[in-house]
Amino acid sequence: MDLEAAGGAAAAQGKRWRGESWRATLLLAYQSLGVVYGDVATSPLYVYKSAFAGDDIKHSAGNEEIYGVLSFVFWTLTLITLVKYVLIVLRADDGGEGGTFALYSLICRHVRAGLLPGGGTRDELMEEEKVTRRRGERPVSRVRSVLEKYRVLQRLLLLFALLGTCMVIGDGVLTPAVSVFSAVSGLELSMEKEQHKYIELPVACAILICLFALQHYGTHKVGFLFAPIVCIWLLCISAIGLYNIIHWDHHVYRALSPYYMYQFLKKTQTGGWMSLGGILLCVTGSEAMYADLGHFSQSSIQIAFISVVYPALVLAYMGQAAFISQHHNFESSYHIGFYVSVPESLRWPVLVIAILAAVVGSQAIITGTFSIIKQCSSLSCFPGVKIVHTSSTVHGQIYIPEINWMLMVLCLAVTIGFRDTKHLANAQGLAVITVMLVTTCLMSLVIVLCWNKNIFLAIGFLLFFGTIEVLYFSASLVKFHEGAWVPITLSFIFMVVMCVWHYGTIKKYEFDVQNKVSVNWLLNLGPSLGIVRVRGIGLIHTELMSGIPAIFSHFVTNLPAFHQVLVFLCVKSVPVPHVQPEERFLVGRIGPKEYRLYRVIVRYGYRDVQKDDLEFEKELVSNIAEFIRSTGECDKNGFVEDTDKPSDKLSPISTGIPLWEEDGDLDASASPHKEIDPQNIAPKRKKARFMIPKSAQVDSEVRRELQELMDAREAGMSFILGHSYMKAKSGSSFIKRIVINFFYEFLRKNSRGPSYAANIPHASTLEVGMVYQV
């Protein structure tokens, strides 16, 4: 009976756990409606209007055009958004994160194809990938070896990822303009034409200005409003769609047959092909859905789309087609759209809901643009920008002031410049389909290299979805003079900025590596390093993970004194979303123990939030102290040689020795630890204590080294930053001189320094200038 009772209790607990898990997933699914699906949910506002804009196709009495457009919309939404993104691409998460750059970092972690400085640590962070690499050797090894062998393929892979990233940024400019302008265009059916002409543009611009002006509050401030707005909007368009189907044409479901796509192209021919540039807008927001994967779980996004968003969108498109199929007396093809299918008595309430939904959709893509800029900046592919974290619980909710105001200016410029949905939609369509093409190509590599599937499966994926997207891409590209030039121009500008910054960063890193000082030079100086050692800790920031940076020799050559404890600190952004706290710090020793020189590598993922200066200083000293204690027994000879392979000599420190810092004395009796307390020293403003467990065995030599570290901590910490000026070497090509001397230097002077440098107190900072001849 006891066993039965225990079994019943375990079953009940398991059932209760599963119930809680499902409740959490359903709650995430509800919240994702407001953050992820605002963009794709507002696409019914402008898809039909964009498809029938211009002279490409005309709405005829036979309804072949409207039924053909509906069939294309249904199958594009089903194949691209549902099958490709929701069922396949969402599985390719990079530690829970999605997006174009996440796919690139996922590939680089499985293949030695990364071009980013210091990327070698990614193998240490992802040990489990070694097991995966042993599977499927025969088909996978050929693809991997080719990619690892040819540097030009690695550069093309990076350029391809940057192209998709630039198009996402362009989408961040165009989506708010298209969504808001399309929502406001409903005013044209509710007021006189003369009034509408003077009201529509100012209202759209005012909404856009308010939208960007409120970004600094963060999405979490109004997050609870987002999901209800999108839910009401989806309920509204599905109800109106169902009403139109029943009232106007209940046989419209027949148009879902692929046969109507054939009839459509057969009748319209070139015009029908060109109209695909407007039809593809039905899948806008699909890439944003994948990019926002880090905020939610894969299952929650799938549940929300399959059960709510997809049925609502299908009903909305079918309802619009049913209404249009029974009306052929439109004033112009420009009036074929969403608002004509809304009953007249509901237009004003629907207009208000549509504007709110457009704002929500715009908010999602703006936040996604901030996130992707942060990823690029963390991986040395974009100049440094100020990143403000607007939420203490959600990593992805950030605000970048410079990017925000730049997006606002560009968004207002394209809105005022075009003044109609047609040109804006053409521009957005090219940006959307280009990102999708990039995702398809990168995804085919993920199938082979990361999932270790058969290469023919990857080729099938590439050919099937690539053919569909190339068809839409060609239809968008032919409208270059009708607005499609905007994303090409924007992406070209951003691509130049990213490539110049990445090239300059690589050259700077190579200069550091080539000019680093050998350990033998350091040993020849003796324990005093040939200079006076003063009390305190000196933190020397460097990009090198091994060797002595040239800036140190430059410093000691010109100044006669340095600190008693020197720490060469390397802060690295690695191509993974998050680094676990126990894997963040790598600590090692340079030279003999009496030199008191340490190397610390601190690793952050591209989604991690770096700590403020005071908390970071304490954690840094605690981890060095733990390294001293843990290596005290092992290092009998007192010397650890620093080599060019830092991972062989650096020790990961999971938890540092607790460090207590107070203005007054500590009560030793209140603590279960024994203290290492300085003897016969004058009182200081700040007292520092390492709290070592009583069970720990600490010999006199380790105690003395910890004592010196504690004394140095009490004396204070100074930060030595290198301030580099880049110049092309004499004899360099003209293009290289232009890129380094002008473009890169202009970007460096007008960008922010490393994120850790922004948190360093200015009173404790010393900058050492050097000219880099690259």
Side-chain angles (χ1 to χ4, degrees):
M1 293 297 292
D2 291 340
L3 290 175
E4 292 178 1
Q13 184 178 3
K15 187 175 181 180
R16 200 161 47 245
W17 181 85
R18 287 192 296 271
E20 291 176 357
S21 176
W22 271 107
R23 279 195 294 271
T25 301
L26 292 177
L27 179 61
L28 282 176
Y30 169 74
Q31 293 173 341
S32 71
L33 292 173
V35 177
V36 176
Y37 293 112
D39 193 4
V40 70
T42 54
S43 57
L45 286 171
Y46 45 80
V47 169
Y48 283 111
K49 177 182 286 190
S50 302
F52 284 93
D55 300 324
D56 298 334
I57 56 175
K58 298 294 183 182
H59 180 40
S60 64
N63 289 327
E64 290 91 349
E65 293 83 4
I66 187 63
Y67 287 159
V69 170
L70 173 61
S71 186
F72 265 104
V73 167
F74 172 76
W75 286 106
T76 303
L77 189 66
T78 302
L79 293 176
I80 299 298
T81 306
L82 178 61
V83 177
K84 176 189 167 183
Y85 277 95
V86 175
L87 299 182
I88 300 177
V89 175
L90 281 180
R91 296 176 56 213
D93 64 296
D94 182 30
E97 301 296 336
T100 306
F101 228 73
L103 278 178
Y104 173 74
S105 67
L106 186 64
I107 294 170
C108 288
R109 206 168 55 246
H110 285 74
V111 182
R112 293 188 297 272
L115 297 173
L116 307 174
T121 56
R122 59 185 172 228
D123 294 324
E124 301 165 14
L125 292 174
M126 301 298 289
E127 289 293 331
E128 65 270 15
E129 303 294 353
K130 295 180 180 179
V131 178
T132 309
R133 288 176 65 120
R134 297 191 186 102
R135 301 173 186 165
E137 281 298 325
R138 187 169 54 85
V140 174
S141 59
R142 286 197 294 268
V143 178
R144 178 179 293 122
S145 61
V146 169
L147 194 56
E148 291 178 348
K149 181 178 180 181
Y150 296 102
R151 192 77 170 174
V152 63
L153 293 180
Q154 299 171 16
R155 292 193 178 99
L156 288 176
L157 182 63
L158 177 61
L159 286 175
F160 210 56
L162 291 181
L163 173 63
T165 302
C166 293
M167 283 295 181
V168 170
I169 298 172
D171 196 15
V173 173
L174 296 166
T175 293
V178 175
S179 299
V180 173
F181 202 87
S182 299
V184 173
S185 65
L187 293 170
E188 65 184 335
L189 300 177
S190 305
M191 59 177 57
E192 296 294 332
K193 187 173 182 179
E194 292 298 323
Q195 295 176 333
H196 164 260
K197 185 170 60 175
Y198 296 106
I199 291 178
E200 184 181 38
L201 185 62
V203 170
C205 292
I207 293 174
L208 289 171
I209 292 173
C210 292
L211 172 65
F212 284 100
L214 294 175
Q215 289 301 311
H216 68 280
Y217 289 110
T219 56
H220 69 288
K221 299 287 185 183
V222 288
F224 289 106
L225 293 176
F226 284 8
I229 289 173
V230 177
C231 284
I232 293 172
W233 169 251
L234 290 172
L235 180 64
C236 176
I237 61 175
S238 57
I240 293 173
L242 191 61
Y243 166 80
N244 285 329
I245 293 171
I246 297 173
H247 189 266
W248 295 108
D249 185 5
H250 57 275
H251 294 296
V252 72
Y253 68 89
R254 296 174 181 172
L256 301 183
S257 169
Y259 172 75
Y260 285 86
M261 291 192 290
Y262 168 74
Q263 286 291 96
F264 171 76
L265 292 177
K266 182 180 178 181
K267 180 180 179 179
T268 57
Q269 297 181 356
T270 304
W273 165 66
M274 295 181 67
S275 69
L276 294 179
I279 295 173
L280 73 89
L281 294 178
C282 67
V283 295
T284 182
S286 301
E287 189 67 32
M289 172 182 67
Y290 175 50
D292 288 331
L293 177 61
H295 299 181
F296 305 95
S297 64
Q298 174 188 332
S299 57
S300 64
I301 293 179
Q302 291 174 331
I303 290 172
F305 185 81
I306 295 173
S307 63
V308 179
V309 180
Y310 180 72
L313 290 176
V314 171
L315 284 175
Y317 287 121
M318 290 176 65
Q320 288 186 57
F323 178 89
I324 295 170
S325 67
Q326 302 302 313
H327 296 79
H328 301 84
N329 56 346
F330 295 107
E331 182 180 337
S332 68
S333 61
Y334 185 74
H335 289 88
I336 298 177
F338 172 75
Y339 285 106
V340 294
S341 65
V342 178
E344 192 170 350
S345 59
L346 297 177
R347 279 179 185 166
W348 278 106
V350 170
L351 175 66
V352 174
I353 298 173
I355 292 175
L356 292 175
V359 169
V360 172
S362 303
Q363 174 68 44
I365 191 63
I366 293 170
T367 303
T369 304
F370 291 159
S371 297
I372 207 164
I373 290 289
K374 178 181 181 293
Q375 293 178 18
C376 294
S377 181
S378 298
L379 298 178
S380 304
C381 290
F382 198 85
V385 290
K386 180 181 180 181
I387 297 175
V388 179
H389 295 271
T390 59
S391 173
S392 59
T393 57
V394 182
H395 292 296
Q397 293 185 1
I398 60 175
Y399 168 67
I400 305 178
E402 300 97 326
I403 301 298
N404 181 67
W405 301 122
M406 182 189 67
L407 290 179
M408 187 189 77
V409 171
L410 292 173
C411 191
L412 290 174
V414 297
T415 303
I416 297 172
F418 288 138
R419 302 190 180 194
D420 63 57
T421 312
K422 174 186 173 182
H423 291 83
L424 289 172
N426 291 337
Q428 186 191 20
L430 184 61
V432 168
I433 198 63
T434 305
V435 176
M436 289 184 173
L437 263 174
V438 171
T439 300
T440 298
C441 296
L442 294 178
M443 189 65 205
S444 62
L445 289 176
V446 169
I447 292 174
V448 175
L449 301 173
C450 305
W451 294 354
N452 292 318
K453 301 296 182 182
N454 193 292
I455 191 172
F456 295 107
L457 184 64
I459 294 174
F461 177 89
L462 179 64
L463 290 178
F464 181 75
F465 291 107
T467 302
I468 297 173
E469 290 162 1
V470 165
L471 179 65
Y472 282 112
F473 179 78
S474 61
S476 299
L477 199 59
V478 296
K479 299 193 176 179
F480 180 85
H481 296 290
E482 299 178 22
W485 59 269
V486 172
I488 294 177
T489 305
L490 290 176
S491 63
F492 176 76
I493 294 173
F494 281 107
M495 179 72 83
V496 169
V497 170
M498 289 182 173
C499 290
V500 167
W501 185 260
H502 179 72
Y503 177 76
T505 304
I506 290 291
K507 289 299 179 183
K508 181 177 179 294
Y509 180 76
E510 290 176 352
F511 181 89
D512 283 332
V513 172
Q514 295 168 2
N515 292 274
K516 65 182 179 182
V517 181
S518 66
V519 178
N520 291 330
W521 174 85
L522 185 71
L523 297 177
N524 292 332
L525 296 178
S528 66
L529 302 183
I531 55 177
V532 178
R533 303 292 289 270
V534 297
R535 297 180 67 243
I537 298 177
L539 269 181
I540 304 174
H541 288 273
T542 174
E543 295 293 321
L544 298 177
M545 295 186 294
S546 63
I548 309 299
I551 194 160
F552 176 72
S553 62
H554 183 70
F555 185 91
V556 298
T557 303
N558 292 277
L559 290 177
F562 217 90
H563 302 83
Q564 69 185 98
V565 175
L566 289 179
V567 179
F568 293 95
L569 177 64
C570 176
V571 180
K572 281 293 176 187
S573 291
V574 291
V576 294
H578 303 288
V579 177
Q580 297 301 319
E582 60 271 14
E583 297 176 330
R584 189 175 307 284
F585 282 85
L586 293 175
V587 184
R589 192 191 306 278
I590 301 177
K593 277 188 176 182
E594 59 268 20
Y595 279 49
R596 303 297 188 250
L597 265 65
Y598 308 95
R599 182 184 307 283
V600 179
I601 297 177
V602 187
R603 301 178 293 189
Y604 290 97
Y606 56 76
R607 287 278 196 175
D608 282 332
V609 180
Q610 299 188 16
K611 297 181 178 180
D612 59 45
D613 57 317
L614 293 178
E615 188 178 358
F616 177 78
E617 287 177 25
K618 288 186 63 176
E619 191 172 3
L620 177 68
V621 174
S622 297
N623 280 278
I624 295 175
E626 173 59 25
F627 168 78
I628 295 171
R629 188 195 67 81
S630 61
T631 58
E633 296 298 324
C634 302
D635 189 15
K636 298 297 184 182
N637 297 325
F639 176 77
V640 177
E641 184 181 359
D642 190 303
T643 68
D644 289 335
K645 295 183 178 179
S647 58
D648 295 338
K649 297 300 181 183
L650 299 181
S651 304
I653 306 298
S654 57
T655 304
I657 296 179
L659 175 65
W660 285 11
E661 294 184 340
E662 291 187 7
D663 292 335
D665 294 329
L666 295 173
D667 185 5
S669 62
S671 174
H673 301 78
K674 60 184 179 182
E675 300 181 4
I676 300 179
D677 195 5
Q679 301 292 328
N680 301 323
I681 58 175
K684 302 178 180 66
R685 287 188 305 164
K686 178 184 288 187
K687 294 287 186 180
R689 302 290 185 275
F690 290 124
M691 311 310 296
I692 300 179
K694 294 181 178 179
S695 59
Q697 298 295 326
V698 182
D699 60 25
S700 58
E701 187 177 354
V702 172
R703 184 180 294 272
R704 185 166 55 254
E705 190 172 1
L706 288 173
Q707 180 67 62
E708 288 191 27
L709 179 63
M710 189 168 56
D711 289 345
R713 174 59 181 158
E714 290 180 346
M717 186 176 289
S718 299
F719 302 84
I720 294 86
L721 300 177
H723 196 78
S724 60
Y725 299 88
M726 298 273 286
K727 288 189 67 176
K729 290 188 294 188
S730 58
S732 300
S733 65
F734 176 75
I735 295 178
K736 183 178 180 180
R737 292 201 302 271
I738 293 294
V739 169
I740 295 296
N741 297 349
F742 295 98
F743 289 165
Y744 180 80
E745 277 299 294
F746 174 80
L747 292 175
R748 185 191 62 79
K749 291 176 182 177
N750 291 276
S751 63
R752 295 181 182 267
S755 54
Y756 58 79
N759 296 324
I760 295 174
H762 295 291
S764 305
T765 303
L766 178 65
E767 290 193 3
V768 181
M770 281 189 68
V771 177
Y772 282 42
Q773 298 280 348
V774 299

